Amino acid sequence: MSIFDQLSGGPSRAEEPHPSARICSRKGCRSSAAWQLLWNNPRIHTPERRKIWLACAEHRAWLEDYLKLRGLWRQTVACPDLADGAGTEGNN
């Protein structure tokens, strides 16, 4: 167990058995994600850059509100079916 595991109260997502699984980005949530929240920070990212957070149905509104309050939210789209694990950068 790393120090980060101890601080967060559990194992890191990198140590999970299926790291390509789409998991909600809300801290402590391990539910499957159904939504991609696209965002960027205009102070440090170019306008076309999009970072992705993943959200389950329960936490979609909370995560959108968090990003909107800070002026970072750009768009929310449904997660595509990704058999190969591509596009699972939700926790960046």
Side-chain angles (χ1 to χ4, degrees):
M1 180 182 283
S2 75
I3 189 151
F4 299 109
D5 295 339
Q6 294 171 353
L7 294 173
S8 68
S12 71
R13 289 187 180 164
E15 296 173 6
E16 291 181 354
H18 301 289
S20 64
R22 293 174 294 170
I23 304 297
C24 181
S25 297
R26 178 75 161 102
K27 184 176 181 177
C29 184
R30 297 292 184 247
S31 298
S32 294
W35 300 96
Q36 294 182 355
L37 284 71
L38 308 179
W39 65 278
N40 82 349
N41 184 337
R43 289 179 285 172
I44 60 174
H45 299 132
T46 59
E48 65 278 353
R49 172 92 187 262
R50 291 295 180 267
K51 302 283 284 180
I52 301 172
W53 280 357
L54 298 175
C56 65
E58 180 181 353
H59 293 118
R60 175 187 173 183
W62 190 95
L63 290 166
E64 278 182 353
D65 289 345
Y66 181 92
L67 292 169
K68 286 177 181 179
L69 183 65
R70 290 155 179 81
L72 306 176
W73 180 84
R74 299 298 174 249
Q75 182 181 14
T76 298
V77 297
C79 281
D81 290 330
L82 300 171
D84 64 359
T88 56
E89 62 176 339
N91 301 314
N92 286 339

